[in-house]
C-alpha cells in the first residue's frame, strides 16, 4: 500500500514540476511579445509625429506660393479691344478661342507651385529612440540603468520629450533582438552594449 502511495506522489510531483515549467515559459513568452509590441507602438507614434510635421510643412509650402497665381491673368485686357474691331457676326469666334486658352494657364500655375515647393530643402529626419538608445550604450564603458539612460537622452534631446518608461521598453526590445545586454545587481537592472565577440542575429543575417 505504501509503495502505491509513493508512486502516485512521485507522478504528481513530476506533473507539478512540468506544469510549473510550462507556466514559466508561457510568462516569459508573454513578456517578450509585450516588449516587442511596446517597441512597435513607440516606433508607430514617432512615425505619426513625423507625418504630422511633414503634412504641416507641405501645407506651409503650398500657402507661401499662393500669391504667385494671379500673374497669368494679365493677357485678358488685350483680347477685349480685338473683339470690338470684328463684326457682330464674328464676335463669337474670338470669344470661343479666348475661352479655350484660359484652361491652359492652370497647369502652368501648378507647375510653378511644384517648382517653388521643390526648391525649399526638407527638414532632416530625427533618429528614432531605438537608434539613440543603441548609440548611447555603444558609447558607454560601464553598465547603465534605464533611468540614467533616459536622463542622458532627455538632456541631449530636450525637444523629444523622452520618458523613462518608454526608454525601458526600448531597451528591453534591444535585449530581445541581441542589440543590448541586461544584468541585475541586487534589485537594479543595468544595460550594456552587446559583446563584440558575439554578433547579433541581424548582423549574421546581413553578412549572408
Amino acid at each position: 500500500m505504501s509503495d502505491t502511495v509513493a508512486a502516485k506522489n512521485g507522478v504528481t510531483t513530476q506533473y507539478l514540476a512540468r506544469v510549473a515549467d510550462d507556466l514559466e515559459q508561457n510568462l516569459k513568452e508573454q513578456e517578450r511579445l509585450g516588449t516587442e509590441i511596446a517597441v512597435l507602438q513607440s516606433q508607430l507614434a514617432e512615425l505619426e509625429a513625423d507625418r504630422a510635421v511633414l503634412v504641416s510643412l507641405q501645407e506651409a509650402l503650398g500657402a507661401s506660393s499662393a500669391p504667385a497665381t494671379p500673374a497669368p491673368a494679365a493677357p485678358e485686357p488685350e483680347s477685349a479691344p480685338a473683339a470690338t474691331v470684328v463684326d457682330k457676326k464674328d464676335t463669337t469666334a474670338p470669344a470661343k478661342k479666348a475661352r479655350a486658352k484660359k484652361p491652359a494657364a492652370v497647369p502652368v500655375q501648378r507647375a510653378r507651385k511644384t517648382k517653388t515647393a521643390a526648391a525649399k530643402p526638407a527638414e532632416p529626419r530625427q533618429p528614432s529612440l531605438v537608434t539613440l538608445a543603441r548609440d548611447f550604450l555603444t558609447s558607454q564603458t560601464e553598465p547603465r540603468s534605464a533611468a540614467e539612460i533616459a536622463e542622458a537622452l532627455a538632456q541631449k534631446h530636450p525637444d523629444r520629450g523622452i520618458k523613462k518608461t518608454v526608454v525601458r521598453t526600448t531597451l528591453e526590445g534591444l535585449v530581445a533582438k541581441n542589440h543590448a545586454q541586461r544584468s541585475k545587481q541586487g534589485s537594479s537592472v543595468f544595460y550594456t552594449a552587446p559583446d563584440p565577440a558575439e554578433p547579433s542575429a541581424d548582423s549574421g543575417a546581413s553578412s549572408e
Side-chain angles (χ1 to χ4, degrees):
M1 185 68 177
S2 60
D3 293 339
T4 304
V5 174
K8 289 183 178 180
N9 291 337
V11 173
T12 302
T13 303
Q14 292 179 0
Y15 275 110
L16 288 174
R18 182 176 301 177
V19 170
D21 184 64
D22 290 343
L23 286 173
E24 183 179 0
Q25 294 296 330
N26 184 279
L27 181 60
K28 289 182 179 179
E29 186 67 13
Q30 290 185 29
E31 291 178 352
R32 183 184 68 81
L33 292 176
T35 300
E36 292 183 0
I37 291 174
V39 172
L40 292 175
Q41 289 178 344
S42 175
Q43 294 177 353
L44 178 61
E46 292 180 1
L47 290 175
E48 290 177 349
D50 292 342
R51 183 180 182 279
V53 172
L54 293 174
V55 170
S56 61
L57 178 61
Q58 186 182 40
E59 293 177 353
L61 292 176
S64 62
S65 60
T69 55
E76 290 184 359
E78 297 180 0
S79 61
T84 56
V85 179
V86 185
D87 294 339
K88 293 182 179 180
K89 296 181 180 180
D90 298 331
T91 52
T92 56
K96 290 182 180 180
K97 292 182 180 180
R99 291 176 183 174
K101 291 180 180 179
K102 286 182 180 179
V106 177
V108 176
Q109 295 175 5
R110 292 179 180 175
R112 290 183 179 179
K113 289 183 180 180
T114 304
K115 185 176 180 181
T116 304
K120 295 185 179 180
E123 295 181 357
R125 184 176 180 180
Q126 294 182 350
S128 64
L129 185 58
V130 175
T131 301
L132 294 178
R134 185 171 52 205
D135 293 344
F136 179 81
L137 290 177
T138 304
S139 64
Q140 300 299 305
T141 57
E142 297 180 356
R144 300 292 181 185
S145 65
E148 293 175 340
I149 297 173
E151 182 178 359
L153 294 180
Q155 292 178 355
K156 191 174 181 180
H157 305 276
D159 57 328
R160 296 290 295 267
I162 297 175
K163 297 181 180 179
K164 178 181 175 181
T165 54
V166 179
V167 171
R168 182 184 289 107
T169 301
T170 302
L171 293 171
E172 291 296 332
L174 291 175
V175 172
K177 295 182 180 179
N178 294 328
H179 291 170
Q181 293 181 347
R182 176 177 56 186
S183 60
K184 292 191 75 173
Q185 297 181 9
S187 60
S188 301
V189 179
F190 294 89
Y191 301 89
T192 57
D195 189 356
E198 299 179 359
S200 62
D202 293 345
S203 61
S206 60
S207 62
E208 294 177 359

